[in-house]
Amino acid sequence: MKYYDKLIFDLSKEGRQGYSLPSRKWNAVLADLPAGLVRGEEPALPQVSELDAVRHYTNLSQMNFGVDSGFYPLGSCTMKYNPKINEEIAAHPGFAGVHPLQPDATVQGALWVYEQLAKSLSEITGMAEFTLNPFAGAHGELTGLMIIRQYHMARGDEKRTRIIVPDSAHGTNPASAAVCGLEIVQVKSKENGLVDVEDLKPLLDDTIAGIMMTNPNTLGLFEKDIKEIAALVHECGGLLYYDGANMNPLVGMVRPGDMGFDVLHLNLHKTFSTPHGGGGPGAGPVGVAAHLAPYLPVPKVVRGEDGLLHMVGADGEACGRVSGFMGNFGVLLRAFTYILMLGNENVKMVGPLAVLGANYIKESLKDCFELPIDSVCKHEFVFDGLKDKSTEVTTLDVAKRLLDYGFHAPTIYFPLLFHQAIMIEPTETESKETLDGFIEIMKHIAAEAIEDPESLKTAPHTTPVRRLDETTAARQPILKYKDII
Ligand SMILES: *Cc1c(COP(=O)(O)O)cnc(C)c1O
């Protein structure tokens, strides 16, 4: 253990101060506070110098792995680079200082960003209108499903309470449907990883609210029967929901609106480069075709007769309110900056480059890793563990060993269709040199698995913490210093 890996409480020394406040000013503030709000005792905080505190947080930050510290091919998560200009714009005092309760006339710039971003996303996806209010992908799913429910109810079609979800779907799809009070009907995938149209047909009747599709699906494969699926579902009176969290490979190439989708959500914190990991903040805007626009949540941004933009809509309207105000505005700003910086021309390169990178890695590694579905992929693909499994080295071992070589692990054991799934998504923001470096290390690990399997089974060896009990860490987190001693 290094000296500064110590808990900051252990560095504490009675009476040491890392700050000095202007006491006259603060005494005056204290005098104005109601007695009940004034703390009687000093809080039990570590007493350290400013330098100790700086070192503590700097070292903590280096114990983590982020896209700014290395390649992060986490499938389905699109860990692309968040350009620093996004941060600069989001921190601009003119944006960072506004309050959602200010009069509309004083926040025209912020409302303009909302309106323009909604327009850009409509253009990119082929939808008629967008709400930017939902806070995450799953929140967008719930909002989209509420819109579908409202649409059927408004037509008096109340028995449509069942929703079809493919077995390859992201776990949030059935979860959001359940939260929305819908019954989930599963449709199977074929051997080739695509939705089985023959399995779908008998499920379609007048109780079906719609189908949730991910395209490309979670295996990174394009659902090429989508036109037929759209026609079948529409024919039975259902709507098509598009899980656009993984829209990245389609950007500039294909539009879900043109495939026949009625509602979709996007993950700005994936496709549109805003930072993610660690639980937020994110943004899951929802786009709809024109016939669903009346059911979008409030508030909406609308240009009034006075020529100004306004936040409008009352709680009881449409599907109501899904967030306090207008979503995570800082995230919206980053995504808007990203789109403007790319511009019309370069935005068209996002999808093709993401797809090229994924196929390059897949083809380079398929001699060492088992490739259950050997076809052209989109932005990501799935291996089913090492090709040679004779030394019983698992996908988990490979993932842990990658950390020793400075790469974040890919997504593992998802999707559930394969026992040893390793799901790799490089994104378009990585150079060929980085991809080559990753390929070289993956080949090296495959060789180690034969020659020295123990080094993999005990990996990682170089990280601040080794193999964690992730379940206990999530179920019984110890968040207080006192619980440790
Ligand atoms: C990430 C993801 C989601 C969920 O997004 P969150 O912002 O984490 O709620 C949904 N569907 C797919 C396919 C995803 O990759």
Side-chain angles (χ1 to χ4, degrees), residues 76 136-138 141 170 172-173 214 218 243 245-246 265 267 269-270:
S76 202
E141 290 170 29
H170 194 269
T172 49
N173 289 188
T214 308
T218 57
D243 176 342
N246 299 153
H265 84 266
N267 276 34
H269 49 290
K270 288 181 181 170

Side-chain angles (χ1 to χ4, degrees), residues 3 128 310 415 436 470:
Y3 181 72
H310 294 283
D436 285 336
E470 289 163 4

Side-chain angles (χ1 to χ4, degrees), residues 252-263:
M253 289 283 108
V254 187
R255 307 192 315 166
D258 300 334
M259 291 182 220
F261 284 99
D262 303 285
V263 197

Side-chain angles (χ1 to χ4, degrees), residues 292-313:
L292 297 179
Y295 309 105
L296 282 171
V298 295
K300 302 177 185 186
V301 172
V302 175
R303 193 168 290 279
E305 283 175 6
D306 55 2
L308 297 180
L309 292 166
H310 294 283
M311 276 194 271
V312 300

Side-chain angles (χ1 to χ4, degrees), residues 285-341:
V286 170
V288 293
H291 58 286
L292 297 179
Y295 309 105
L296 282 171
V298 295
K300 302 177 185 186
V301 172
V302 175
R303 193 168 290 279
E305 283 175 6
D306 55 2
L308 297 180
L309 292 166
H310 294 283
M311 276 194 271
V312 300
D315 283 350
E317 275 175 49
C319 80
R321 198 179 271 269
V322 296
S323 57
F325 293 98
M326 315 293 290
N328 280 327
F329 186 61
V331 176
L332 306 183
L333 271 172
R334 287 174 177 87
F336 189 51
T337 307
Y338 167 79
I339 292 172
L340 289 185
M341 288 303 290

Side-chain angles (χ1 to χ4, degrees), residues 115-157:
E115 182 199 41
Q116 293 300 312
L117 176 59
K119 273 193 185 155
S120 301
L121 298 178
S122 300
E123 181 61 31
I124 288 169
T125 56
M127 306 310 280
E129 274 190 46
F130 258 88
T131 175
L132 311 180
N133 300 5
F135 291 131
H139 194 197
E141 290 170 29
L142 176 62
T143 304
L145 292 170
M146 284 161 61
I147 291 170
I148 291 179
R149 279 293 279 150
Q150 283 297 114
Y151 167 79
H152 290 308
M153 302 279 270
R155 292 159 57 249
D157 202 353

